[in-house]
Structures are given as structure tokens and as C-alpha cells.
Amino acid sequence: MLVIEEAARAERTHFRDELVRQGLLVATGVAGLFGYNEEFEDTVGRVDRQVTALGQADHPEVMRFPPTISRACIERSGYLESFPHFAGAVRSFDGDARAHRSLLRRVEEEQDWSAGFAPTDVVLTPAACYPVYDALTGTLPDEGRLVDVMSYCFRHEPSDDPARLQTFRMHEHVRLGDETAIRTWHASWLTRAQGFASDLGLDARAVVASDPFFGRAGQLLAASQRDQRLKLEIVAPIASAGCPTAIISLNCHQDHFGKSFGIQTADGSPAHTACVGFGLERIALALYSRHGFRRSAWPRHICGVLGL
Ligand code: ATP
Ligand code: ZN
């Protein structure tokens, strides 16, 4: 097992270095934080439009939020209970002139300068769907709501794997309604998501998955999530053929967000919710991994799908 993991780690580092050498990724010196060149950004944009198109027949409402949410939103979401190790909070300097001089001195001396920074009322968005629940507090219409949302997200999980980023784009279709509607919707997206990956020529498959919940209690939560098949993932090889990576996640939250954000169905019961999240950089990386670094040489039918 250790040997396989070592081999996968070496493959990931090699793939990352090659992406940087090709100019597609621009290294920043921080693990899991990259800039992108014009072509890679164009590929991400094309994938993003495909995700929009995939849900268009259902006429979702479109919402876009900046990559920060209120402290109140993350507190209500339960993220701090389940994933404190990924969370990022925004702090800002609030000192006087003396504190400012001390700040500059510490920067010059290469000391930690963050002590003079006080908490603000925003935190970094951990998943694109969170601000949607916050915005939809109240009673849903009879047919529920369906939202198309895309945002940069932050998760503190520094890694050498170019597919495990600290800041990445997630495009989601989010459904809110009664339990039956949500279960049907969640199940219906499995075929759609598999079709999406197969149209892009990716060697993808669906697996039952769980979230990386914090701590020992988190292991129980993860086991129960797997038993109930609440999280499915479409995985595809990116850096390593032997260890495929999740490119799309289909998450069923039952009435968790309905309860925590005070969202009810027309009959007054807590709403159920589900979301399908597409990792845009991961899908773009899977395309380069599968079809090669020269985008102009990708198979014609793949170029057709992406409008290249
Ligand atoms: P939930 O609603 O259950 O909290 P979510 O939709 O908010 O889940 P995930 O299911 O954790 O979020 O992730 C959605 C997709 O985002 C993943 O399938 C993956 O493609 C992408 N993703 C997740 N983490 C990373 C990361 N560190 N780097 C790049 N892409 C990521
Ligand atoms: Zn989500």
C-alpha cells in the first residue's frame, strides 16, 4: 500500500512540474496555489459553460457570489463542527500608528506579523452552495428551488498534488425541496454526470464516497454517509492512473441545511437539499492528463464538445 502511495505521490509531483514547465500552471511558491495561462483559463471557461449547459433544460436560477461568506453563514452551516481543519477566516489590520510601525518592523525582520490583524465579519467560501442556503432562508415554493452557482472556494489542504488546490472553482447545481423530489433529482444526476465525463473522453467511473470529516466522531459520520450512499463521486485519472481523483461530487444533505438555515417546504417541514459539484480545475487537468499537453492535438470529437 505504502509503495502504491509513494508511486502516486511521485506521479503527482511529476505531473505538476510538467504543467508548470508547459506554462499551463504558474507556480506561486505556495503548495496548492497556482496561476493559469490564457489557454488553461480558456479550457476552464469552456468546461464551466458545459456545466451550465448540462443543467439548462431544467431552467435553474443563476446566482453568483464572491468567494467570501459571512461568519454567521459558516456558523449556521455546521462547517466548523465537521471541517474546522479546512476553514479559512479573513482577518484585517485594525491597529494605530504604533501598531503599524510594529507591523512593518516584523515584516522587515521576517517575523510573524499576523498578531495585529483582527477578525473581520467574513470567512472564505468553502463550497459554492453555502451562500445559496443562506439566501433561501424561509419557505420554498411548492416545486422547491433549483440554483446554478459557481464560485472560487478555499480549503486549507496544501498538497503537492496539482489537483488538490487550496483555492479552486466549483460549479454546482443545487436543489432544495421535499425529500422525494431531492432523492429523485440526486439519482437523476448520476447518469447526467457520467455522460458529461464520457463526452469529454475521460476514463471515469462512479464510486460511493464520504467527506473528510474532522476527528474520531467524523469517522462515524463518514461511515454513515457511505452506508446511506449520500455522497457519490465521479472519479477520473488525473496525475495518477492508479489513484483517480473526484472530478464531480453528488451530495445529498438530507434536511441538514434545511434545519440549520431555516428553509422549509410549503407544508412547514425542513427542506431537503442536494448538490452536484463540478471541480473546474480538476476537470481541465483531467483533460490535459487524458488527451495530452498540446490542446491543438486533442481528438476532434472532444474539441467539438468544448467548441474548440
Ligand atoms: P457538500 O455540499 O457536501 O459540502 P460540496 O459540493 O460543497 O459538498 P465537495 O463535494 O467536497 O463539495 O467537492 C465538489 C467538487 O469540488 C469535487 O468533486 C472536486 O471536483 C472539487 N474539489 C474539492 N476539493 C478540491 C480541491 N482541494 N482542489 C480542487 N478541486 C476540489
Ligand atoms: Zn455543494
Side-chain angles (χ1 to χ4, degrees):
M1 193 63 188
L2 217 59
V3 178
I4 298 176
E5 277 171 22
E6 274 306 313
R9 188 168 309 148
E11 284 177 308
R12 287 180 187 131
T13 317
H14 175 74
F15 186 57
R16 179 203 59 195
D17 292 348
E18 198 52 29
L19 286 158
V20 172
R21 207 176 65 80
Q22 299 281 339
L24 291 159
L25 262 51
V26 182
T28 66
V30 176
L33 188 68
F34 294 97
Y36 306 105
N37 77 357
E38 185 179 353
E39 183 196 291
F40 190 88
E41 200 55 21
D42 178 73
T43 306
V44 167
R46 286 169 194 275
V47 171
D48 185 44
R49 289 194 287 281
Q50 282 301 113
V51 178
T52 300
L54 199 62
Q56 215 138 46
D58 302 332
H59 306 293
E61 305 167 49
V62 174
M63 293 187 188
R64 292 292 179 266
F65 295 92
T68 43
I69 55 173
S70 69
R71 264 174 192 272
C73 177
I74 203 160
E75 286 161 13
R76 291 172 90 183
S77 72
Y79 197 80
L80 299 174
E81 281 84 10
S82 296
F83 310 105
H85 51 311
F86 288 156
V90 178
R91 300 172 74 95
S92 185
F93 177 73
D94 76 339
D96 55 13
R98 202 168 138 213
H100 185 216
R101 281 193 298 278
S102 153
L103 165 71
L104 296 185
R105 203 167 43 243
R106 295 188 81 80
V107 171
E108 200 167 313
E109 290 166 0
E110 297 181 20
Q111 306 262 341
D112 175 32
W113 44 264
S114 58
F117 278 58
T120 67
D121 51 9
V122 294
V123 299
L124 301 173
T125 302
C129 57
Y130 280 32
V132 174
Y133 310 126
D134 203 25
L136 297 187
T137 294
T139 304
L140 297 172
D142 286 350
E143 67 284 8
R145 301 276 286 255
L146 175 64
V147 180
D148 168 320
V149 66
M150 196 282 283
S151 172
Y152 259 109
C153 298
F154 173 86
R155 291 182 186 176
H156 186 240
E157 44 178 349
S159 163
D160 288 338
D161 180 355
R164 186 162 301 283
L165 300 164
Q166 294 205 60
T167 311
F168 57 94
R169 279 160 281 189
M170 194 190 293
H171 192 153
E172 299 197 56
H173 291 278
V174 188
R175 182 85 171 94
L176 306 92
D178 63 44
E179 185 173 359
T180 317
I182 297 310
R183 280 188 184 280
T184 314
W185 184 86
H186 183 241
S188 77
W189 264 91
L190 182 58
T191 332
R192 239 193 253 194
Q194 281 173 314
F196 173 90
S198 129
D199 287 349
L200 293 177
L202 303 176
D203 184 13
R205 62 189 163 86
V207 296
V208 175
S210 60
D211 284 310
F213 294 103
F214 182 73
R216 198 178 299 171
Q219 290 177 12
L220 297 177
L221 288 174
S224 150
Q225 193 183 28
R226 268 195 303 274
D227 288 348
Q228 298 181 75
R229 300 171 66 87
L230 296 176
K231 186 178 188 83
L232 306 174
E233 284 177 347
I234 307 294
V235 299
I238 298 187
S240 159
C243 295
T245 308
I247 52 169
I248 308 168
S249 302
L250 300 94
N251 305 301
C252 197
H253 314 113
Q254 299 177 305
D255 59 4
H256 169 76
F257 289 126
K259 280 182 172 153
S260 39
F261 285 97
I263 310 168
Q264 297 102 33
T265 55
D267 71 1
S269 41
H272 280 238
T273 64
C275 64
V276 186
F278 294 73
L280 299 184
E281 287 86 359
R282 280 196 184 171
I283 296 169
L285 290 169
L287 285 164
Y288 284 97
S289 167
R290 177 78 179 87
H291 305 302
F293 289 119
R294 268 186 52 229
R295 193 175 72 166
S296 55
W298 285 2
R300 274 180 77 151
H301 61 283
I302 306 299
C303 292
V305 171
L306 293 170
L308 281 164

